[in-house]
Amino acid sequence: MKNFKPIALAYLILLFMKVSTAEAAAVSPKISYKVTFPEVQAHYIDVEMTVSGLKQASLELKMPVWTPGSYLVREFAKNIESLTATANGKAIAAPKVSKNTWHIATTGVSTVVVKYKVYAFEVSVRTSFVDVSHGFLSTSGVFLYPKGMLDQPSTVKIIPYKDWTTVSTSLEMVSGDQFTRTSPNYDILFDSPIEVGTQDVFGFDAAGVKYEVAMYGGGNYDKERLKKDMTKIIEAETAVFGENPNKHYTFIVHNRQRGGGGLEHLSSTVLGAGREQYGSESGYMGFLGLVAHEHFHLWNVKRLRPIVLGPFDYENENYTTNLWIAEGFTAYYQNLARLHADVYSADAYLEDAIGDINTVENQPGSRIQPLAEASFDAWIKAYRPNENSYNTGISYYDKGAVVGMLLDLEIMNNTGGKQSLDDVMKYMYQTYYKGKKRGYTDAEFKAGFEKFAGKKLDDFYAKYINGLAAIDYNKYLGYAGYQIVDKLADTNNPTLGVSVNQNGKKIVTMVLRDGPGWKDGINVGDEIVSIDGTPVTDLAAMLNAHKVGDKVTVAVIRDGKPYSLPVTLQRNSRVQYKAEQLPNATEKQLAVRKKWLKL
């Protein structure tokens, strides 16, 4: 009896907490959208947004300025027009108060209905596009969100245009209705693109997960072959992390005359492809590489992520120095996964891996911009290239893939082929995504590398991540009994150090840093009309008639005026590496090779 009062008090407090929580849930605003296409021929999406259960004095509606996975402020609000608001059947003011914000006074108002149009006519995997053939909703550029309510659920009701019959998205259905979808919060909504139309849909099971492939635009694809090979890739990637965290996953594929690119999402991806590319082996393998890349992201970046990439700030840049891991390692694994899935050969894999080295070494910007800086500057450089980008920067995809290979070989060498980068990825996934339920810092991933490499990597980071040191490729490839040799090492071909259009007029499109054109004043945009008075037809053939060190007069038209430029030809410094096996490989080297190439 002595403990009755404390127990009763605790019970009452607990009961009060439950009631308060229930009351809070009861008064939380409800958010829904209705999407229609009355002017689809003019590329408009009509959205009706209803927010009910309001208890506040004002409501601010915002549009994201970027979409996760594509690190560029795209200003999606530029596509919104004709926004109006009503309450109790009467129009109310909804002035625009910033580039992506509309303010609505809601004192005494419990429900607001907002209508607006979204112009959608940009073909890419990250932007919305609608016409009479289909609708693609890149949701971060379609749906406004209420400020302070990113954690609120919402429903989306789609009213299809005419004969559109199918919706493909990772969003869950409501009561089995494919045209009504629900999202638990805006991070999920903005990470779940929607395809609606008459797309060809097929499915398969892989790694215990139901997969759906939605093909828009037709094409010469073989469904049965795709099912078989995509399953192999999915299971090879799942083996890296030990689990596939989805219940279902959706591939949305846009097949066009010319297509490419992909954008990852939490439980889906959008891929661009050429509708006839499946018919050639190189085209088919290229598509599988895209599949492998974007699917690997469901772990690497969507769950195992840099700490700043979630929860997202949808109004500002989200800076990280770790896109070389998030994207570069994914580029490395897109080839490794195809190899381990037995989709292509070890020789083909090595050719692609050495191709990444060639890309890095032939780009002058790799000696100007450190890898970590390339990641940080993605927001202002990666998606805004200009004529000089080749000279000033490096892709965190390309160099990140190369660095991933170096670290993989380092770990395999130090463990005698017993462990690899796979073990690092699985450890980081388990520790940070599943265990700590957050992203990782730069220092934490470095510690993860060191845990499995069995050594400090300060020097590696100083040289190759934060610095500009020349990479000792043969040191790392030597761990697996390989070396690279330059097939162009003995050539002495003269060059102007410029790139030109290959068809029609010879217009300069790029001037190579420290090349003859760079030093002697050839500009991007110049039309090269003659060399030493001879009209230019085949520029390469004309240059090959000269020797390195020759001085030539290059006649150009610049801004409509003629100029004569004396230029001293230099040796073409381009490299073309290939991999060769070292003679008499040791038992340890062979063990590393077997682990790496799954021989």
Side-chain angles (χ1 to χ4, degrees), residues 365-425:
S366 68
R367 294 174 281 281
I368 300 296
Q369 185 184 51
L371 186 54
E373 183 182 300
S375 172
F376 193 85
D377 280 349
W379 293 92
I380 58 173
K381 291 187 177 182
Y383 289 90
R384 289 190 176 120
N386 61 25
E387 68 282 347
N388 201 39
S389 295
Y390 195 72
N391 292 316
T392 62
I394 189 64
S395 166
Y396 47 79
Y397 286 84
D398 298 327
K399 192 170 182 180
V402 169
V403 167
M405 179 180 68
L406 303 183
L407 287 166
D408 201 5
L409 289 166
E410 178 74 33
I411 294 167
M412 286 186 278
N413 178 69
N414 293 354
T415 61
K418 294 179 181 178
Q419 293 179 313
S420 69
L421 187 59
D422 289 7
D423 297 284
V424 178
M425 301 303 285

Side-chain angles (χ1 to χ4, degrees), residues 86-101:
T86 58
N88 300 318
K90 296 181 180 180
I92 57 175
K96 194 174 186 179
V97 295
S98 74
K99 67 178 182 178
N100 68 320
T101 308

Side-chain angles (χ1 to χ4, degrees), residues 296-483:
F296 194 81
H297 271 313
L298 78 85
W299 296 277
N300 190 31
V301 86
K302 298 313 302 183
R303 291 172 174 83
L304 173 60
R305 58 178 175 79
I307 198 164
V308 303
L309 296 184
F312 293 112
D313 178 348
Y314 292 103
E315 295 192 84
N316 299 285
E317 295 88 343
N318 293 224
Y319 293 103
T320 173
T321 57
N322 292 127
L323 292 181
W324 61 275
I325 298 173
E327 288 289 358
F329 281 21
T330 302
Y332 174 60
Y333 271 99
Q334 77 181 52
N335 293 332
L336 206 61
R338 287 184 295 167
L339 172 67
H340 292 175
D342 198 28
V343 170
Y344 77 161
S345 67
D347 288 342
Y349 167 76
L350 282 171
E351 185 176 345
D352 283 345
I354 304 308
D356 288 334
I357 293 176
N358 288 329
T359 298
V360 170
E361 292 304 309
N362 284 318
Q363 187 161 344
S366 68
R367 294 174 281 281
I368 300 296
Q369 185 184 51
L371 186 54
E373 183 182 300
S375 172
F376 193 85
D377 280 349
W379 293 92
I380 58 173
K381 291 187 177 182
Y383 289 90
R384 289 190 176 120
N386 61 25
E387 68 282 347
N388 201 39
S389 295
Y390 195 72
N391 292 316
T392 62
I394 189 64
S395 166
Y396 47 79
Y397 286 84
D398 298 327
K399 192 170 182 180
V402 169
V403 167
M405 179 180 68
L406 303 183
L407 287 166
D408 201 5
L409 289 166
E410 178 74 33
I411 294 167
M412 286 186 278
N413 178 69
N414 293 354
T415 61
K418 294 179 181 178
Q419 293 179 313
S420 69
L421 187 59
D422 289 7
D423 297 284
V424 178
M425 301 303 285
K426 183 176 182 180
Y427 166 78
M428 295 297 293
Y429 174 81
Q430 292 288 339
T431 301
Y432 291 94
Y433 169 66
K434 298 198 71 177
K436 298 181 184 294
K437 302 186 186 306
R438 64 168 175 83
Y440 57 81
T441 66
D442 184 77
E444 287 167 343
F445 217 117
K446 178 173 176 287
F449 292 136
E450 293 172 340
K451 174 182 175 65
F452 290 91
K455 60 185 288 188
K456 287 289 185 181
L457 293 172
D458 295 354
D459 185 58
F460 186 96
Y461 264 68
K463 287 181 176 179
Y464 304 145
I465 309 302
N466 301 312
L468 297 168
I471 297 175
D472 186 355
Y473 294 107
N474 283 334
K475 169 186 173 181
Y476 295 92
L477 290 168
Y479 292 153
Y482 288 100
Q483 64 178 353

Side-chain angles (χ1 to χ4, degrees), residues 39-335:
E39 294 182 291
V40 71
Q41 81 290 344
H43 318 296
Y44 279 95
I45 303 166
D46 280 43
V47 181
E48 180 178 299
M49 177 185 188
T50 302
V51 185
S52 60
L54 292 169
K55 300 290 185 181
Q56 59 212 62
S58 65
L59 179 69
E60 286 196 345
L61 299 179
K62 291 181 172 289
M63 176 63 79
V65 305
W66 70 290
T67 188
S70 182
Y71 307 102
L72 175 68
V73 172
R74 297 182 182 275
E75 308 292 17
F76 293 124
K78 67 185 178 183
N79 295 319
I80 291 184
E81 58 185 75
S82 304
L83 187 145
T84 61
T86 58
N88 300 318
K90 296 181 180 180
I92 57 175
K96 194 174 186 179
V97 295
S98 74
K99 67 178 182 178
N100 68 320
T101 308
W102 289 259
H103 179 89
I104 303 173
T106 55
T107 300
V109 171
S110 62
T111 299
V112 171
V113 178
V114 177
K115 297 181 180 181
Y116 58 94
K117 293 178 175 292
V118 180
Y119 183 67
F121 195 55
E122 183 178 350
V123 176
S124 83
V125 296
R126 63 193 70 85
T127 50
S128 297
F129 180 96
V130 298
D131 64 10
V132 294
S133 68
H134 81 129
F136 173 62
L137 280 61
S138 182
T139 46
S140 57
V142 173
F143 298 114
L144 296 169
Y145 69 91
K147 180 181 178 181
M149 299 187 194
L150 285 171
D151 60 345
Q152 289 296 305
S154 61
T155 59
V156 177
K157 175 68 175 178
I158 297 171
I159 309 299
Y161 173 75
K162 285 189 176 180
D163 59 350
W164 291 358
T165 59
T166 307
V167 172
S168 299
T169 180
S170 59
L171 292 173
E172 299 291 345
M173 296 183 192
V174 176
S175 301
D177 178 6
Q178 69 161 328
F179 291 100
T180 304
R181 303 287 176 146
T182 184
S183 174
N185 56 57
Y186 277 92
D187 282 336
I188 300 294
L189 179 62
F190 291 152
D191 210 15
S192 305
I194 301 169
E195 176 73 18
V196 54
T198 58
Q199 61 270 25
D200 181 21
V201 177
F202 61 91
F204 57 91
D205 292 345
V209 176
K210 291 190 176 299
Y211 280 82
E212 176 185 291
V213 181
M215 289 284 197
Y216 161 77
N220 59 351
Y221 51 88
D222 180 335
K223 293 182 188 179
E224 295 308 313
R225 187 181 183 192
L226 281 173
K227 289 179 186 179
K228 178 181 176 182
D229 290 339
M230 290 173 74
T231 296
K232 289 180 179 179
I233 290 169
I234 289 163
E235 292 181 345
E237 292 182 342
T238 301
V240 174
F241 295 92
E243 67 171 22
N244 191 318
N246 287 298
K247 293 181 180 179
H248 55 83
Y249 187 96
T250 303
F251 287 96
I252 298 173
V253 185
H254 292 154
N255 294 304
R256 298 183 177 274
Q257 184 176 2
R258 289 181 299 275
L263 187 63
E264 70 275 5
H265 297 283
L266 193 69
S267 302
S268 63
T269 186
V270 184
L271 310 178
R275 63 173 61 97
E276 302 301 322
Q277 79 175 75
Y278 307 94
S280 71
E281 195 61 21
S282 62
Y284 180 71
M285 291 306 302
F287 178 74
L288 289 184
L290 185 60
V291 167
H293 183 101
E294 301 305 337
H295 185 264
F296 194 81
H297 271 313
L298 78 85
W299 296 277
N300 190 31
V301 86
K302 298 313 302 183
R303 291 172 174 83
L304 173 60
R305 58 178 175 79
I307 198 164
V308 303
L309 296 184
F312 293 112
D313 178 348
Y314 292 103
E315 295 192 84
N316 299 285
E317 295 88 343
N318 293 224
Y319 293 103
T320 173
T321 57
N322 292 127
L323 292 181
W324 61 275
I325 298 173
E327 288 289 358
F329 281 21
T330 302
Y332 174 60
Y333 271 99
Q334 77 181 52
N335 293 332

